[in-house]
Amino acid sequence: MTATTTPVSRSITKSVLSREQSEGVGARVRRSIGRPELRNHDPFLMLDEFSVDKNGGFPDHPHRGFETVTYMIEGQFQHEDFAGHKGTIGPGDLQWMTAGRGIVHSEMPVKSQTRAHGLQLWINLPKEHKMCEPQYQELLDGQIPRATPQDGVVVKVIAGESHGVKSQVYTRTPTMYLDFKMDKNKTVTQIIPSTYTGFLYMLKGTTFIGDKEFEGKAHHTLTFSEDGATTVKIQTKDEDAHFVFIAGEPLKEPIVQHGPFVMNSSEEIYDTFVDYQNNKNGFERARNWHSTIA
């Protein structure tokens, strides 16, 4: 007989508390990735947990060179861009926006709601896709598949794969984005490609990650070790937990960011400002455009 060995889990290398700060107009965000302690986590540029009342929001602003992924937890958010794309996402809904060569848009809470609460993730695009045409992938909560590895553990598969369930979302930068809800006293193992970097962001409760049971608490970002291990073991003990598990293939390219523009060199950032100010090379439709929802 041969003994079976339990795969070694990735461990946690850093835990960063996401402190609340102001952003946009009257909005409060808990910035995870993007803080000084965790400037970026290739291929991820930023993760914000946002909370916006009906008087706040993110009025007209541009993007180039990356993707924004908005995932609603409660309330509703409206979106409108300079190409006439307009819509509303509600609890559990997803908008995966590829800004590519240029988008100008507005993101505002629905005025009849008391609060809009969700996550926005910025994913870098590889050099060959930075100037691609903008694209949207939008899924309602009911269109996002679920995995149930055991009773009391439900995984929404927003991108990538979990326990045999695959997402339909196309990721130019290979990415997995999973929303876990776990009852207390549960243990689950998630497979992760050996080359991916990744992290957990805790929304509620407490988890214990890896073989050393590193404790993860609400509003903390917990980065995985980069040791080639292909599993992450996650446990709950005396309370339920809600968190997202995000991982992706690092691009290993230069990152030059100036606000909402992310390119590979300072020259490209300069060119982007020129393009934006002169309404060209992707920003043609920005001339005299103002959203109707801001």
Side-chain angles (χ1 to χ4, degrees):
M1 294 177 63
T2 57
T4 57
T5 57
T6 303
V8 175
S9 170
R10 293 209 194 183
S11 57
I12 298 301
T13 57
K14 183 181 281 192
S15 174
V16 178
L17 174 63
S18 302
R19 299 183 189 278
E20 206 171 49
Q21 64 186 65
S22 295
E23 192 72 20
V25 176
R28 303 291 293 173
V29 304
R30 289 182 178 272
R31 183 152 295 164
S32 131
I33 293 168
R35 293 183 56 77
E37 308 97 302
L38 193 58
R39 178 57 64 198
N40 50 63
H41 194 53
D42 188 17
F44 307 108
L45 302 163
M46 191 189 81
L47 178 68
D48 279 353
E49 179 184 359
F50 60 83
S51 181
V52 187
D53 68 22
K54 62 183 179 182
N55 298 313
F58 306 95
D60 304 4
H61 59 279
H63 293 295
R64 174 183 275 181
F66 61 101
E67 299 183 301
T68 69
V69 181
T70 305
Y71 178 52
M72 294 302 296
I73 296 169
E74 62 177 304
Q76 293 181 303
F77 232 55
Q78 292 177 290
H79 170 271
E80 183 184 7
D81 76 13
F82 67 178
H85 185 94
K86 189 175 182 180
T88 302
I89 56 173
D93 296 349
L94 171 75
Q95 183 195 73
W96 197 292
M97 184 186 84
T98 304
R101 64 201 304 258
I103 280 277
V104 179
H105 72 160
S106 179
E107 301 158 291
M108 304 294 287
V110 172
K111 298 301 182 188
S112 61
Q113 302 287 308
T114 55
R115 182 172 86 125
H117 176 214
L119 297 171
Q120 187 169 94
L121 175 70
W122 289 13
I123 306 173
N124 203 6
L125 283 169
K127 186 176 181 65
E128 65 266 26
H129 291 313
K130 281 192 176 293
M131 295 294 283
C132 69
E133 288 299 318
Q135 182 191 1
Y136 291 92
Q137 298 175 84
E138 294 171 319
L139 294 175
L140 299 175
D141 179 45
Q143 296 173 313
I144 301 172
R146 270 79 166 169
T148 310
Q150 58 182 277
D151 286 345
V153 179
V154 178
V155 187
K156 280 180 70 177
V157 186
I158 296 166
E161 181 176 355
S162 180
H163 297 270
V165 176
K166 293 183 179 181
S167 165
Q168 61 184 287
V169 169
Y170 169 63
T171 59
R172 286 171 174 77
T173 301
T175 303
M176 56 195 299
Y177 190 145
L178 311 172
D179 174 350
F180 278 79
K181 287 184 177 175
M182 294 177 64
D183 290 351
K184 61 184 179 182
N185 299 314
K186 298 291 179 182
T187 301
V188 68
T189 299
Q190 175 60 47
I191 292 173
I192 179 174
S194 62
T195 55
Y196 277 23
T197 57
F199 63 95
L200 292 190
Y201 180 71
M202 295 296 305
L203 289 160
K204 190 183 80 170
T206 304
T207 55
F208 298 86
I209 303 119
D211 299 320
K212 295 182 179 177
E213 299 189 7
F214 190 100
E215 187 173 4
K217 291 184 172 291
H219 308 302
H220 283 74
T221 305
L222 307 153
T223 60
F224 301 146
S225 57
E226 296 174 23
D227 50 17
T230 56
T231 63
V232 180
K233 186 174 76 172
I234 305 160
Q235 299 178 68
T236 53
K237 293 187 178 178
D238 57 1
E239 61 180 326
D240 299 352
H242 184 196
F243 57 89
V244 290
F245 179 119
I246 297 172
E249 187 71 55
L251 300 179
K252 299 179 180 176
E253 295 178 355
I255 298 171
V256 181
Q257 179 174 352
H258 197 292
F261 304 135
V262 183
M263 302 301 286
N264 296 115
S265 69
S266 298
E267 292 77 15
E268 289 170 341
I269 290 290
Y270 175 81
D271 290 344
T272 298
F273 273 101
V274 171
D275 290 346
Y276 180 54
Q277 289 164 358
N278 292 283
N279 307 116
K280 64 180 186 177
N281 293 330
F283 291 111
E284 289 84 354
R285 290 173 289 199
R287 188 184 303 275
N288 300 322
W289 179 81
H290 300 285
S291 69
T292 61
I293 61 173

